[in-house]
Structures are given as structure tokens and as C-alpha cells.
Amino acid sequence: MTVRIKFFAYFRELYGGRERELALATGATVGDALALLADTPERRCELFSGDALKAHLVVMANGIPVSSLQGLATALQDGDTLAVFPMVGGG
């Protein structure tokens, strides 16, 4: 199956573009997709703190926020879209 990953803010520089497609096995999870994206030490450091998502990281699956460990087990379907970006604050 194929999943689209959209990158925002500095993740665009880290991954060299606005989006990419990942080929995943049927039944793959959000965690599986992110593990494939963590293909260098620098990228892994930006995505994970241990086995959990970094606290400042926002991952959305089809527009729905994915929370740390529980969300990593969210099953993906062919054609799904993940968005990856840092949490933004304002004032």
C-alpha cells in the first residue's frame, strides 16, 4: 500500500521536500511509517525520544492528531495521508 507523507516547517528541509510517498506492507501502522522516515540518526532524533514521539512533534493521520505511543499503533490504509510538523505556538 502507499501512504503520502506531508512535511511542514523545518521537516521540509530535513526530508528535502514538501511530501513523499512511502510503500508499506498491508496492515502497517503510523509507527511503521515513522520508523521508515527515521532512516538517519538526525531524522530519528527529530521524530523520536526513545520509543515515543518527541513532545514537540505533531503527526496527523488524515487530519486527525495522533498521540504519542497509542497513536503509533494506528493502522493505516492505502491512500492515507500523514502530516508531520513541529508544534507551533503564538502569542
Side-chain angles (χ1 to χ4, degrees):
M1 73 177 173
T2 302
V3 174
R4 180 181 306 199
I5 313 294
K6 293 187 175 189
F7 301 107
F8 296 89
Y10 65 85
F11 285 100
R12 288 181 175 170
E13 290 179 28
L14 186 64
Y15 286 95
R18 293 177 179 260
E19 63 182 59
R20 76 166 44 167
E21 289 188 349
L22 285 181
L24 299 167
T26 300
T29 65
V30 170
D32 295 330
L34 293 176
L36 280 176
L37 290 175
D39 58 350
T40 68
E42 179 185 16
R43 289 175 176 173
R44 177 158 181 76
C45 182
E46 290 298 329
L47 294 171
F48 293 101
S49 178
D51 290 332
L53 293 176
K54 288 220 118 163
H56 75 277
L57 185 66
V58 176
V59 176
M60 298 181 85
N62 300 315
I64 300 169
V66 171
S67 63
S68 190
L69 286 175
Q70 298 149 336
L72 292 176
T74 301
L76 295 169
Q77 302 295 319
D78 187 45
D80 280 354
T81 300
L82 292 180
V84 180
F85 52 95
M87 192 175 298
V88 282

